[in-house]
Amino acid sequence: MKTFQHELVEIDERRLLRRLDELAQRGTLPSGGLYRPLYSPAWSAATELVHGWMKDGGLLTRRDAVGNVWGRVEGSRGGRAIVTGSHIDTVRGGGALDGALGVVAGIEAVADLLERYGRPTRILECVAICEEEGSRFSTNFWGARAIADRVEVDEAQRVRDTEGTTLADAMRSVGLDPTKIAQAVRRDIDAFVELHIEQGPVLDAALERLGVVTVIAGTAHLDVVVRGEPDHAGAAAMDRRHDALLGAAAMMLAIAKIAGEMGAPAVATVGTIAVEPSQLNVVPGVARFSVDARHSDNRQRTELVAEIEKACKLVGRERDLSVDVHALRDRPAVPMNDRTTETLRRAARAAGVEARDMTSGAGHDSQILTAAANVGMLFVPSIGGRSHRADEATAAEDVVLGTRVLATALRELAYTA
Amino acid sequence: MKTFQHELVEIDERRLLRRLDELAQRGTLPSGGLYRPLYSPAWSAATELVHGWMKDGGLLTRRDAVGNVWGRVEGSRGGRAIVTGSHIDTVRGGGALDGALGVVAGIEAVADLLERYGRPTRILECVAICEEEGSRFSTNFWGARAIADRVEVDEAQRVRDTEGTTLADAMRSVGLDPTKIAQAVRRDIDAFVELHIEQGPVLDAALERLGVVTVIAGTAHLDVVVRGEPDHAGAAAMDRRHDALLGAAAMMLAIAKIAGEMGAPAVATVGTIAVEPSQLNVVPGVARFSVDARHSDNRQRTELVAEIEKACKLVGRERDLSVDVHALRDRPAVPMNDRTTETLRRAARAAGVEARDMTSGAGHDSQILTAAANVGMLFVPSIGGRSHRADEATAAEDVVLGTRVLATALRELAYTA
């Protein structure tokens, strides 16, 4: 048994890479990149494709009440299930690996284990989670929340896409019944393991090939409104102006400085900005921008947000501008399960690799599933740290390595004596 | 004659103020402020109103080929005409005086002169210029350009409003024939005098009541595109980012600093900004903003623009961002006519006021009409420097003073022996 646990599991590398290519044909945009929004035709085509692969692997398949696709092998001793997977949807203009890697690698790992080691002692499952990105509806983590019993009452009736279609109507359009969402809840999962691309530059820059996530950063979203005085761009002297956009500019630089000085993993981003009246020859009277601030430590995230708010107010006072900072959202950091993470570390060592302990700045299905399972998360490098872009990429050998380590961890979890 | 020239002309103050109020009823917006875009129903109502006032003043009236409304008194000795006026259109959400003051004061001054001093020796005219603000069509100074023969071939067919209507179609909708635009050209104007609100804070802050414009600032408009790399707001470390918006923020602050350090009358304004992809959780890959840079001295405006471009490029190099600065427009400064300006100064002295010599940062019909006449421009204070706003205001006694000084200047020009 000792020897067995130290072997790196073999997989069908060619099939893995071919399937990733094939999945990347579902939802291609004319302008480049992929778009597989929840319950769209491209999404349906992708879920049917992975459904077929699960069947080919000899797994018992089913589509749950929200459209998550599951493949299952019954364990000889029953008990709680060991699950792997990731999300099948993409952002608009996204790449071939975000979500897709964890889905395809999960199917590959489970099918290969079944083929090479026979029936597991524990129930072993792979899953293609229907939605994580929030790229169609004004909600996200839909699939994982359905599994973890975190969907809100009437959420499907309330939430709409930009064309006004409700989630409920979109469900019906693909043959799902929104009154049955609760049937997707799973209370019988022991461990959930997710393989994902890092989406950041850390592993690639350090020339390291594997990371284990110890914590997924908490995220605060702020809405900042700066009010000055609109003025004539020609007639208003520079020293008499109350330019809301100049105030916002000073705030944005201060925000980046605060995050930079706090040091990694603190990050703060101004991703959107708008001014009023937004005319070439009028000094902006109002500037409004968003702040996304993250940290893996809850106390430090709170401090980061407080510092940002303080800096905005200070700039406002200096420039005689009114400043309103409104918190849109504040999600705490989510630690991964120590035991599952240690299993991933051991599996990496079977490949001769010491996995780097990492914070995930990005959100993942895993953070939601901590409510339902002992979760561990494995990262492979993103070349150049590129993410949510058509050219996101991971070296083929790292895709293969990550999948083999995933399979090795699943073997430890599902083939216990 | 000497004594006569030193008297401040009397006017019908009540009628003047009442008419300004009445004109401010044409084109009121439900949300507050006025909107009288060119060739709109509100614009037609306003031009009919002032047409009636010109007739009531005993003037010979006509509407020219682009819709400028003229009122005329034939001079006893003929020759080239003495003209006063301003524009009848407004920005969206504008106030009661911008343009309107010069129109109503012009009618009042000419009518009062006629009534009190009889027929002038020179041809004396007032005019309500159809358009200056550029608030409907993507062009401006339409009325003054038609007078000064500065309309481009096919401009009326080419230029459209936001709904796609061409200027030519809009002209036809109010009974004007776009094939006859050239008939609006005037080659027989000697002097043009315009009374206008300052639209800036200089007179109000200095507690001065009258200004004479010596030069209208030149204006450069730039389009700046900053390109970095879009990135994941959670996964991309602060020190690895190429955030286009942060670069733009540093540029905007540098631009304001350059104009501030160059000193008045240098001004520079970033009035519009947009980012891509404009998502709360994505580091902006592209930021695009406008710059409006003005100075009364052409060499210094050129220097201001060069410094702005240099600063943007420097920030780009420091932050590893690509920067494109594209000049959309570069209009030189326009000096007013010395002789006409001196006439305005003398008229102010008749009221016991030493008019302040001023640069106009804002553009005016006067700058266009320098191509056709010896132009002088008189300013009254804008309370708090407010402009292009519903609450723009000038004290009633300054409105009256400005109109009396205008009338006094016109008397000097039109009642010469």
Side-chain angles (χ1 to χ4, degrees):
Chain A
M1 200 67 198
K2 208 68 182 157
T3 328
F4 169 84
Q5 290 289 6
H6 284 82
E7 269 171 19
L8 190 64
V9 173
E10 296 280 347
I11 61 160
D12 187 336
E13 302 182 6
R14 284 201 192 162
R15 186 172 62 185
L16 170 73
L17 298 173
R18 194 180 62 235
R19 284 178 171 175
L20 281 167
D21 282 346
E22 205 174 337
L23 185 52
Q25 306 308 313
R26 302 298 184 277
T28 54
L29 290 176
S31 53
L34 298 176
Y35 189 37
R36 288 196 298 261
L38 180 63
Y39 305 142
S40 67
W43 174 92
S44 292
T47 54
E48 279 159 28
L49 188 65
V50 301
H51 201 141
W53 293 335
M54 289 178 186
K55 274 190 184 159
D56 292 346
L59 311 183
L60 205 66
T61 60
R62 70 186 176 92
R63 188 168 82 152
D64 74 12
V66 296
N68 298 318
V69 179
W70 299 81
R72 173 177 175 119
V73 197
E74 296 297 340
S76 57
R77 290 170 42 193
R80 295 165 80 82
I82 307 301
V83 182
T84 187
S86 190
H87 59 95
I88 192 87
D89 71 319
T90 74
V91 294
R92 187 189 294 269
L97 296 171
D98 187 344
L101 173 60
V103 171
V104 178
I107 297 168
E108 190 61 45
V110 170
D112 279 312
L113 287 171
L114 189 59
E115 192 180 320
R116 289 165 216 274
Y117 300 93
R119 181 178 176 140
T121 50
R122 307 285 297 271
I123 298 161
L124 180 58
E125 295 183 70
C126 55
V127 61
I129 295 172
C130 63
E131 197 274 345
E132 186 255 15
E133 298 283 8
S135 56
R136 178 177 174 187
F137 293 92
S138 62
T139 186
N140 59 5
F141 299 116
W142 177 245
R145 287 194 293 116
I147 297 167
D149 199 11
R150 290 289 183 277
V151 168
E152 291 162 35
V153 176
D154 290 336
E155 184 171 351
Q157 284 72 40
R158 188 172 39 79
V159 168
R160 293 172 188 271
D161 66 10
T162 52
E163 289 176 355
T165 308
T166 62
L167 246 172
D169 283 340
M171 287 180 77
R172 280 187 279 265
S173 78
V174 294
L176 295 168
D177 180 351
T179 66
K180 297 191 171 152
I181 291 170
Q183 296 183 4
V185 175
R186 291 285 300 263
R187 304 200 191 275
D188 63 338
I189 301 176
D190 176 5
F192 177 78
V193 186
E194 182 176 12
L195 172 64
H196 205 282
I197 54 170
E198 182 199 329
Q199 301 184 263
V202 176
L203 291 172
D204 187 48
L207 302 173
E208 295 184 29
R209 301 182 65 192
L210 294 171
V212 290
V213 176
T214 53
V215 61
I216 295 176
T219 303
H221 285 163
L222 309 175
D223 176 43
V224 183
V225 181
V226 185
R227 286 190 179 81
E229 293 277 339
D231 240 322
H232 193 294
M238 294 308 288
D239 59 358
R240 302 277 307 210
R241 297 179 176 197
H242 299 285
D243 185 327
L245 178 54
L246 278 184
M251 291 172 204
M252 291 187 270
L253 292 172
I255 289 165
K257 189 156 177 269
I258 288 165
E261 287 178 354
M262 185 173 272
V267 284
T269 305
V270 175
T272 68
I273 185 162
V275 295
E276 293 172 25
S278 192
Q279 287 182 19
L280 194 138
N281 57 356
V282 182
V283 176
V286 180
R288 180 176 197 151
F289 61 87
S290 63
V291 183
D292 175 306
R294 308 192 190 199
H295 203 290
S296 56
D297 181 285
N298 286 327
R299 196 186 49 76
Q300 293 208 67
R301 187 189 72 262
T302 304
E303 188 185 320
L304 177 61
V305 169
E307 288 290 317
I308 287 169
E309 182 162 355
K310 205 170 84 179
C312 292
K313 294 281 168 82
L314 178 65
V315 170
R317 275 196 301 279
E318 286 169 356
R319 291 173 175 268
D320 200 10
L321 302 166
S322 91
V323 182
D324 286 312
V325 180
H326 175 61
L328 297 174
R329 180 179 300 165
D330 195 10
R331 280 207 217 95
V334 180
M336 298 294 99
N337 178 266
D338 286 341
R339 199 164 47 80
T340 312
T341 305
E342 190 52 37
T343 300
L344 286 169
R345 285 194 193 98
R346 264 196 302 277
R349 276 180 216 124
V353 176
E354 199 60 38
R356 171 188 277 249
D357 279 6
M358 301 185 69
T359 290
S360 177
H364 293 290
D365 292 312
S366 281
Q367 77 197 60
I368 304 300
L369 293 173
T370 54
N374 298 306
V375 177
M377 201 169 180
L378 183 68
F379 273 174
V380 287
S382 291
I383 294 173
R386 295 192 297 270
S387 174
H388 284 182
R389 296 164 49 159
D391 62 352
E392 74 176 11
T394 298
E397 55 266 35
D398 291 337
V399 165
V400 169
L401 175 67
T403 307
R404 293 186 69 185
V405 170
L406 174 69
T408 304
L410 292 172
R411 188 187 56 189
E412 179 183 321
L413 294 166
Y415 287 79
T416 47
Chain B
M1 200 65 199
K2 208 68 179 154
T3 327
F4 169 82
Q5 290 289 4
H6 284 83
E7 269 171 23
L8 190 64
V9 173
E10 295 281 348
I11 60 161
D12 186 336
E13 302 181 7
R14 285 200 190 163
R15 184 171 64 183
L16 170 73
L17 298 173
R18 194 179 64 235
R19 284 178 171 177
L20 280 168
D21 282 346
E22 204 174 336
L23 185 52
Q25 306 308 313
R26 302 298 184 276
T28 54
L29 290 177
S31 53
L34 298 176
Y35 189 38
R36 288 196 297 260
L38 180 64
Y39 306 144
S40 67
W43 174 91
S44 292
T47 54
E48 279 159 28
L49 187 65
V50 301
H51 200 143
W53 292 335
M54 289 178 186
K55 273 189 182 159
D56 291 347
L59 311 183
L60 204 66
T61 62
R62 69 187 177 94
R63 187 168 83 152
D64 74 12
V66 295
N68 298 317
V69 179
W70 300 80
R72 175 178 174 118
V73 195
E74 297 297 340
S76 57
R77 289 170 42 196
R80 296 166 78 82
I82 306 300
V83 181
T84 186
S86 191
H87 59 95
I88 192 88
D89 71 320
T90 73
V91 295
R92 186 190 294 270
L97 296 172
D98 186 345
L101 172 61
V103 171
V104 177
I107 296 169
E108 189 61 45
V110 171
D112 279 311
L113 286 170
L114 189 59
E115 191 179 321
R116 288 164 215 276
Y117 300 95
R119 182 180 178 136
T121 51
R122 308 285 297 271
I123 297 161
L124 180 58
E125 296 184 69
C126 55
V127 60
I129 295 173
C130 61
E131 197 273 346
E132 186 255 14
E133 298 282 9
S135 56
R136 176 175 175 188
F137 293 92
S138 61
T139 188
N140 58 6
F141 299 116
W142 176 247
R145 286 193 295 115
I147 296 168
D149 198 11
R150 290 291 183 275
V151 168
E152 290 162 34
V153 176
D154 289 337
E155 184 172 351
Q157 284 72 38
R158 189 171 39 76
V159 168
R160 292 171 189 273
D161 66 10
T162 52
E163 289 176 355
T165 306
T166 62
L167 246 172
D169 282 341
M171 288 180 74
R172 280 185 281 261
S173 77
V174 295
L176 294 167
D177 179 351
T179 66
K180 296 190 173 154
I181 291 170
Q183 295 182 5
V185 175
R186 292 283 301 261
R187 303 198 191 279
D188 61 339
I189 301 177
D190 176 5
F192 177 78
V193 185
E194 182 176 11
L195 172 63
H196 205 282
I197 54 171
E198 182 199 331
Q199 300 183 266
V202 176
L203 291 173
D204 188 48
L207 302 175
E208 296 184 29
R209 301 183 66 192
L210 293 172
V212 291
V213 176
T214 53
V215 59
I216 295 177
T219 302
H221 285 163
L222 309 175
D223 176 42
V224 182
V225 180
V226 185
R227 285 190 179 83
E229 293 277 338
D231 240 321
H232 193 293
M238 295 307 289
D239 58 357
R240 302 275 309 210
R241 298 181 174 194
H242 299 286
D243 185 326
L245 178 55
L246 278 183
M251 292 171 202
M252 291 188 271
L253 291 172
I255 289 165
K257 188 157 178 267
I258 289 165
E261 287 178 354
M262 187 173 269
V267 285
T269 305
V270 176
T272 69
I273 185 162
V275 295
E276 293 171 25
S278 194
Q279 287 180 19
L280 193 139
N281 57 356
V282 182
V283 176
V286 180
R288 181 177 195 149
F289 61 88
S290 63
V291 182
D292 175 306
R294 309 191 190 199
H295 202 290
S296 56
D297 181 284
N298 287 328
R299 197 185 49 75
Q300 292 209 68
R301 187 189 73 262
T302 304
E303 189 186 320
L304 177 62
V305 169
E307 288 291 317
I308 287 169
E309 182 162 354
K310 204 169 85 179
C312 290
K313 294 282 168 86
L314 177 64
V315 170
R317 275 197 299 278
E318 285 168 354
R319 293 174 173 266
D320 199 12
L321 302 166
S322 90
V323 182
D324 286 312
V325 180
H326 175 61
L328 298 173
R329 180 180 300 165
D330 194 9
R331 279 207 216 96
V334 180
M336 298 294 99
N337 178 268
D338 286 342
R339 198 164 47 80
T340 312
T341 305
E342 189 53 39
T343 300
L344 285 169
R345 286 195 193 96
R346 265 195 301 274
R349 276 181 215 123
V353 176
E354 197 61 38
R356 172 187 278 247
D357 279 6
M358 301 185 69
T359 290
S360 176
H364 292 289
D365 292 313
S366 282
Q367 78 197 59
I368 305 299
L369 293 173
T370 54
N374 297 308
V375 176
M377 199 167 181
L378 183 68
F379 273 173
V380 288
S382 291
I383 295 172
R386 294 193 297 271
S387 174
H388 285 182
R389 295 163 52 155
D391 62 351
E392 75 176 11
T394 298
E397 55 266 38
D398 291 338
V399 165
V400 168
L401 175 67
T403 307
R404 293 186 69 184
V405 170
L406 174 70
T408 305
L410 292 173
R411 187 187 56 190
E412 178 182 321
L413 293 166
Y415 287 79
T416 47

